[in-house]
Amino acid sequence: MTSDVAAPRTPVPFPDRDVVVGLVVNPVAGLGGAAGLKGSDGEQVQREALARGATPRAGERAARAVRALLARRPGTRVVTVPGSMGELSARDAGAPCALVRPSPSSSADPGSAGATTARDTRQAVVALADVDLLLFAGGDGTARDVLDAVRELGDQAPPVLGIPAGVKVYSGCFAVSPAAAGFLAAGYASGLRHGPGTADAGTVEAEVVDLDEERYRQGLVSPRLYGSLRVPAARAALSGRKAGSSGVVPASVEGIAREVVARMRPGVRYVLGPGATTQAVGRELGLTTTLLGVDVVEADDGGVLVAGDVSEAELFALVTGREAVVVLSVIGGQGFVLGRGNQQVSPRVIDAVIGCGGATGRRLLVLATPQKLAALRGRPLLADSGDEDLDRKLSGHVQVITGYRESTIYQICTASEEFHG
Amino acid sequence: MNTAESFAELPVAPKPPLRRFHQARWDEPIIFELSAPGRRGLAVPEPGAPLVELPETVRRAEPPKLPEMSQLHVLRHYLRLSQENLGVDLNIDVGQGTCTMKYSPKVNDRFAAAIAELHPLQHEETVQGVLEIYWRLERMLAEISGMSRVSLQPGSGSAAIYANIAMIRAYHAANGEGHRDQVITTMFSHPSNAACAKTAGYEVITLMPDADGYPDIEALRAAVGPRTAALMITNPEDTGIFNPRIREFVELVHSVGGLACYDQANANGILGITRARDAGFDLCHFNLHKTFSTPHACGGPAAGACGVSAELEPFLPGPVVTFDGAAYGMETPPHSIGKVRPFLGVTPNIVRAYAWIMAMGAEGLRQVAETAVLNNNYLMHKILQIPGASAPWDKRRVEQVRYSWQELSEETGVHSEEIGVRAADFGVHYWTSHHPYLVPEPFTLEPTESYSKEDLDEYAAILAHVASEARTDPEFVKGAPYNQSVHKIDTTSLDDPKAWAPTWRAYVRKHLS
C-alpha cells in the first residue's frame, strides 16, 4: 500500500496522458438514512446510526459508479486516496488504481468507517486536484466539503461529479444514480480524449445546497444555497430526435437575462437575488454581480451596480421610498423562490417593494428555465419568507420568465402548506 | 403423437414469436462520391435543330456540378438507401406519436400523377377540373371543421400555423388593436404554435399542465388580459388527453378580445365527432399528411389547410378558389396576408386528400376516428401490462398516449431513448417526446386506424421483450442497436452550426477544402 503512494500535488502518475478520473468517498455518508436519523452530519449522529444497526453503504455505491465507468470505458485510469475513502471502492470495482496520500498531517485512520471528517474530504480533494474529473460519493454535506476544497484550489480545480450516497441529495451536482455517475464520467472522459468542445466534454455549473439537519429533524425543511460546482454537461438525447431538440440549457439562461434587461426601466432599482440565472442578468448589463449574494442594479446608462452583496439592512435602506423590482430565480429540484439562500430579501424588504405601487406581479420577477420547471413535475413554486402572511399574499399564479419573450404562468404557494399539506 | 410438438412434423418450421429482423447495411456513399467524369445514363444523339441562344445574363458559365452516373448505378444507389430505412410502408409505424403515421392508399398516387402535366401558370379556363377539386376539398374541410372558409395554400402544417398567426395579427391591426402582443399556448400543444407566434413577433406565454394533466385553467385566467392576441392550443394534447373544458378556455380568451386558434394538425381521433367551430374557435388548421392520409414523407411534400370563421375570411392567404355556379376562378381576399407559398397549394397532395375523403365518405371519416381510438386504447391496455411502463395521469386517452418508463429506468438505469433504439433491432422504433421532458423517460405511441390487432400485439410484444432485457442485461440494451444499418448516431453536430452541411456543396466547402 505504501509503494505506489505518490506525493500530493504531483502530476497524475500516468505518462501517456490518458484521461484520469479521481475518486473520493465519504464513507460515513448516508449512515443516518436507514436509521431514521434524516442525515449523517456529526460524530454523535454517526455513532447513533451505527448503534441502531446502520451499515456504511457509500463505499459500495462508489464501487458501482466505478464499475459503470469501466464498463462504458474500459481501462480508464482511476486515482484515489488510501483506504475507505476511495481505494477499497476502486479495488472492489476492479479498477487498476493509483493512490495519492492526502496530507501527512492527517490524523484519521482512513481504514475505519465513522472516523473520517469533513477535513479528510477536503484534503483528499486537494490531493487529487490534477485529475481530469473528480467523482465524489456522499451527500449534500460532502458536496459542501468538496465545494470548500474547490474554492481553495481556485482555477486549478477539476470538474466534479457527485455519486449520490447521502441521506439527502438536494444539490444539483449529483448524477441520478451511482451507475449514471459512472456513465456520465465515461462520456465526459471520451469527450476529453477527442479534444475540448467535442462530444461530451462540456461542463455546466450545478448548485450545491444543504439542509440544517437539526432543524430538519424537527420537521423544518430549510435548504440553503452554498454555491456551485462545475460538472460535466449531461447529454440526455441519444437518438429519437425530432425537430432539433437537445434541451441545451445554457442558452436559455442568456435568453432569460436578455428578457429581464429588456423589461428594465430607468430610475427603477432592481434587486438581483442569488443564483446563476440572476448573475446572468448582471452579465447582460455588463456588470459583475455576485453568485451567492444579493445585488442592487439600475439599468440607467447601460447598467449601474448600485450595491453588491448587500445585507438585509442595507437592502431595506436601498429600496425604501424608491421604485424597485425584486428578481429571483428558482432553486432547481425544489422550487424555492423565497427563503432559501436569499434571506436578505426579507418580508419587510418585499413589503417596501410592493408598497411602492403597481401590481405584485410587476414588482417580483421570477426566473426559471423550462427544464427547471419541468423537473418540478407539477409541484408548485415555494415561498418561505419567514412571514406566513406575506407568503400567503404572494400565493397564487405568478409569471415566470423562461426565455427571451417567453414565459409561463406558474403556481406559487407557501412552503408550510406544501410540506404540511 | 404429442400434439404440442406437431410442428416438428411440418416441412417448414414456424416463425418464432419475435421477428428475427436484420436491416440492410450497404455502407453506401453519398451520390456525389459515386460520380465518375463522363459517365452517362443515356447517350443522347446530337440534336438536329440549332441550339437556342439564351441571353448572356441567364446562361451558366459552367455546367452544374451534378453527379455523372449510369442508370444502373442510380437505381442501385436509391434502392440501397431505401433498404436502409424504416417507414410506414415497411414497419408497424405506431411509434411516431403525434405524427399520425397511417396507410396512404397507393391508388391515390395514380390520381396525383394524372395532374402532373399541369402548369401552375395555365389559364383558369384550361384547369377547371383541378380548381373544382380545390373548391370541393375546401368545402369538405369547412364542413369537417365547422369553419366558414379554408385556405389550401400552406405547404406544411407549420406554414398553416404561421398563416393563422399572420391572420390573427392582421385582424387585430385592422381593428386598431395592434397593441395585443401576447400569444398563449400550452406545454403539450405542438411547439410550432409557440415558434410561429414568436417568429411573428409575439411574446409567448406557455401554460403548464395542472395536477390532472389538463392545461391549468387558473393559469389561463391569470394570463389573459388586454395584451392577449390569441390562444393557440392543441386538443387532445400530445398526451392523448382531451380537455373537456376547452369551451371555457375559448370563452376566457374571447372575454378579453383575443382570438382562439385550434391546432388540428392531427384530427384523427375527433373526425366526425367534434368540430373546432362548435367549441367557439375562430381559426384552425389541418395537416393533410396526417389526418387526410397524403404520404407523411418526413420532410415533404406536405400540405396544410387553414380554416377560419366568417370574420377572418378577408385575411385569408391568396389566391383562393371561387365558384359562381358555372365556372371556377381565383381571387385574393381584400385584406389578405398575401401568399404563404407560390400558386394555389401542393396540388398532388390536394388531389390525394380529396380522393381519400371521397373514398371514405362521412361515415367512413367517423369510422376512422372510432377505429383509431379503439386501437389506441387496445394498445394502451397491452403496454400498461408491461412492468415498468406507465401512463401518467389516470385519464382516458383519445388517439395517442405519452407513456413513461420512469419506473423501469429507475430500476435498471436504461433510458427511454435506449429502449427505442433497441426496438429498432426488431424493425420498429419509437419517438420519445418534445423537450423539455415533462413526462419522465417518455415515449409516445399513436396507432391510428391503419394497424391490425396482430400489428399492435407484435409491437407490444417487442416493447415487453426489450423491457425484460433491460432488467436482465441493461448493458446489452444500452449497446443497441445490433441489427441496424447504423450503429449509434452522435447527435453533437446537430448543435454545432459549423458542422452542418445541408448540401454537398456546403460539405465540400466546410469540410473538404
Side-chain angles (χ1 to χ4, degrees), chain A residues 330-335 371-381 410:
Chain A
V330 173
I331 297 187
Q334 302 176 319
Q371 288 80 0
K372 233 181 206 182
L373 291 176
L376 292 177
R377 304 262 178 263
R379 282 178 287 128
L381 299 176
Y410 206 89

Side-chain angles (χ1 to χ4, degrees), chain B residues 81-136:
Chain B
L81 293 187
S82 76
Q83 289 185 350
E84 295 185 321
N85 218 335
L86 288 177
V88 74
D89 289 344
L90 208 55
N91 86 109
I92 306 167
D93 214 2
V94 308
Q96 202 68 20
T98 81
C99 277
T100 322
M101 304 306 288
K102 52 163 78 179
Y103 174 61
S104 298
K106 301 304 164 204
V107 67
N108 293 346
D109 292 343
R110 302 282 289 271
F111 301 135
I115 52 95
E117 301 292 314
L118 295 181
H119 194 281
L121 291 177
Q122 269 177 257
H123 194 274
E124 292 170 13
E125 285 172 18
T126 69
V127 289
Q128 286 292 300
V130 79
L131 291 181
E132 183 180 352
I133 290 175
Y134 267 91
W135 173 258
R136 292 178 60 118

Side-chain angles (χ1 to χ4, degrees), chain A residues 100-152:
Chain A
V100 293
R101 187 177 289 281
S103 161
S105 67
S106 176
S107 58
D109 166 22
S112 110
T116 63
T117 64
R119 196 173 60 122
D120 294 313
T121 304
R122 289 195 297 270
Q123 286 174 344
V125 173
V126 170
L128 291 165
D130 288 316
V131 299
D132 297 297
L133 173 69
L134 179 66
L135 289 174
F136 70 91
D140 288 318
T142 320
R144 281 178 62 187
D145 298 330
V146 171
L147 176 63
D148 289 343
V150 161
R151 282 179 175 152
E152 197 182 321

